[in-house]
Amino acid sequence: MSDNIQTVTVLSKTTWTPNLFSFTVSRPDSFKFTAGQFVRLGVNPSQLKYYQQTEVSDETADTALDEDVFRAYSIVSSPFDEVIEFFSIVIPDGAFTSQLQHLQVGDELLLNTMPFGFLTLARYQKPLPKDLWLLATGTGLAPFLSMLQDLKTWEDYEHIVLAYSARSLDELAYVEKIESLQEDFGMLVDNPAKLIFIPIVTREPVEGALSERLPKLLLEGTLQARAGIALDIDSTHVMLCGNPDMVEDTKEALKTLGLVMNRRGEGNIAVENYW
Ligand SMILES: Cc1cc2nc3c(=O)[nH]c(=O)nc-3n(C[C@H](O)[C@H](O)[C@H](O)COP(=O)(O)OP(=O)(O)OC[C@H]3O[C@@H](n4cnc5c(N)ncnc54)[C@H](O)[C@@H]3O)c2cc1C
Ligand SMILES: NC(=O)c1ccc[n+]([C@@H]2O[C@H](COP(=O)([O-])OP(=O)(O)OC[C@H]3O[C@@H](n4cnc5c(N)ncnc54)[C@H](OP(=O)(O)O)[C@@H]3O)[C@@H](O)[C@H]2O)c1
């Protein structure tokens, strides 16, 4: 096993919907990361209580039970937390999440403690523009929650817009957490209105939420109107995370609005695709 791989223990689990859950694990003392980064998590089904307590079919046992399966996972929690939190989809036939969905408190997972990824605010060169826009679909919310629990993010920007798109209201996870961040960090920086949260629910009408996809909302100016601020090349950093089709289509919409990709610290747009 690689030197970087450590065993961590599941400390809590929150189920949002049959296809979405969050969990926390113990944090190894030496593990450091920057808000926005991801790690590789590993599961060996034979270490999950579910499989120890359940009679598994010969087919499952033959194919999966002895193998560690690793996948990239963004960290939800702040770099200063004692535990590490993750937010996960369940893909019914997915090699990783079809196993991970069964995890219970006390189970052990593998954590590769080498953090990866450049969807961090450190990628942007100073001087910083006024505003930060964080645009997510589904579990792509995770890195933004980590950034929003870092006081520096709040100190560095005048406005922070978080637009978060899910198919249905029940899949719009972490809304209470976002509201408490608005309140708690808003108070710390003496500006309760700094974080502008824009929920988007695309497959059912929900009062207070927008209902169109992000590129359309941007091109029509609906998102900017809802935020109450302009989105332009001089005033804005934009980060996109989640569904690769959303990332591609939104990137194109932003380019149409005059924004440019961030390279070597300069430019507006930074992205992370989840598959
Ligand atoms: C940098 C990075 C960070 C990631 N962070 C997270 C995270 O924080 N939470 C998380 O749940 N996943 C995250 N993923 C995706 C994750 O690595 C796995 O793909 C996911 O756990 C599914 O694994 P699987 O083996 O069950 O299915 P896979 O075989 O990996 O995927 C099968 C299909 O499921 C769909 N899919 C995969 N991941 C997602 C997702 N997150 N949301 C919606 N559909 C998806 C895609 O259509 C994909 O082709 C991240 C991926 C990358 C590259
Ligand atoms: N969510 C479920 O009920 C469900 C159930 C079973 C399996 N799954 C599987 O889970 C995966 C998807 O899960 P998910 O719902 O978290 O992710 P998702 O399909 O990425 O949907 C999340 C949000 O992203 C939006 N979106 C998708 N493509 C976009 C684009 N090109 N531009 C802008 N916005 C875009 C969706 O809008 P739209 O609604 O307009 O697409 C939705 O609001 C798929 O593999 C799916 O088969 C999901």
Side-chain angles (χ1 to χ4, degrees):
M1 197 155 44
S2 146
D3 285 350
N4 291 326
I5 296 178
Q6 296 207 24
T7 300
V8 293
T9 306
V10 177
L11 302 174
S12 69
K13 178 178 180 181
T14 304
T15 300
W16 303 102
T17 71
N19 287 311
L20 283 177
F21 67 102
S22 296
F23 58 98
T24 61
V25 300
S26 53
R27 178 173 177 167
D29 287 342
S30 57
F31 175 57
K32 302 249 182 319
F33 67 97
T34 302
Q37 285 192 305
F38 66 91
V39 285
R40 294 182 70 77
L41 268 182
V43 63
N44 184 318
S46 63
Q47 290 177 346
L48 299 183
K49 284 196 201 99
Y50 173 85
Y51 287 98
Q52 291 155 7
Q53 291 161 0
T54 313
E55 248 180 66
V56 289
S57 69
D58 287 348
E59 199 186 333
T60 312
D62 284 349
T63 52
L65 281 189
D66 285 334
E67 286 177 27
D68 296 337
V69 185
F70 278 85
R71 287 289 183 276
Y73 266 74
S74 301
I75 300 170
V76 169
S77 41
S78 105
F80 312 105
D81 271 347
E82 285 175 11
V83 299
I84 318 172
E85 181 167 348
F86 299 100
F87 177 28
S88 184
I89 187 89
V90 177
I91 304 293
D93 303 324
F96 187 78
T97 54
S98 65
Q99 316 289 341
L100 190 78
Q101 66 174 325
H102 298 299
L103 65 73
Q104 297 168 25
V105 170
D107 279 337
E108 290 186 337
L109 293 176
L110 299 170
L111 169 74
N112 185 327
T113 55
M114 176 74 80
F116 293 98
F118 299 101
L119 194 76
T120 68
L121 294 170
R123 67 176 290 137
Y124 290 117
Q125 259 173 26
K126 301 214 163 155
L128 299 175
K130 287 192 298 126
D131 303 329
L132 174 65
W133 292 67
L134 305 171
L135 311 181
T137 54
T139 53
L141 176 70
F144 301 149
L145 287 175
S146 185
M147 291 175 200
L148 288 170
Q149 293 175 85
D150 187 339
L151 183 60
K152 193 159 185 326
T153 310
W154 292 73
E155 289 171 341
D156 280 353
Y157 293 93
E158 195 173 314
H159 302 105
I160 307 168
V161 180
L162 173 66
Y164 164 33
S165 178
R167 295 177 180 194
S168 56
L169 181 60
D170 63 346
E171 293 185 350
L172 206 63
Y174 284 103
V175 171
E176 281 180 19
K177 172 87 180 175
I178 294 165
E179 287 168 355
S180 76
L181 293 175
Q182 274 178 313
E183 209 167 294
D184 297 347
F185 281 85
M187 213 151 63
L188 282 176
V189 294
D190 215 12
N191 183 357
K194 180 167 282 208
L195 174 61
I196 301 154
F197 174 45
I198 306 179
I200 302 167
V201 178
T202 44
R203 299 201 185 183
E204 62 187 20
V206 172
E207 208 185 320
L210 298 178
S211 59
E212 302 286 357
R213 287 178 163 195
L214 280 161
K216 186 163 191 265
L217 292 171
L218 285 164
L219 289 172
E220 290 177 349
T222 315
L223 202 69
Q224 299 88 316
R226 177 68 173 262
I229 54 176
L231 193 157
D232 59 49
I233 188 164
D234 296 323
S235 65
T236 311
H237 279 157
V238 192
M239 292 188 148
L240 313 177
C241 187
N243 184 319
D245 291 336
M246 176 284 285
V247 168
E248 186 55 32
D249 297 349
T250 308
K251 212 163 68 179
E252 290 311 310
L254 290 166
K255 287 183 185 169
T256 305
L257 296 174
L259 278 71
V260 296
M261 293 302 290
N262 180 268
R263 301 202 197 289
R264 296 196 190 86
E266 290 186 10
N268 314 95
I269 311 166
V271 308
E272 189 157 85
N273 288 314
Y274 267 9
W275 65 92

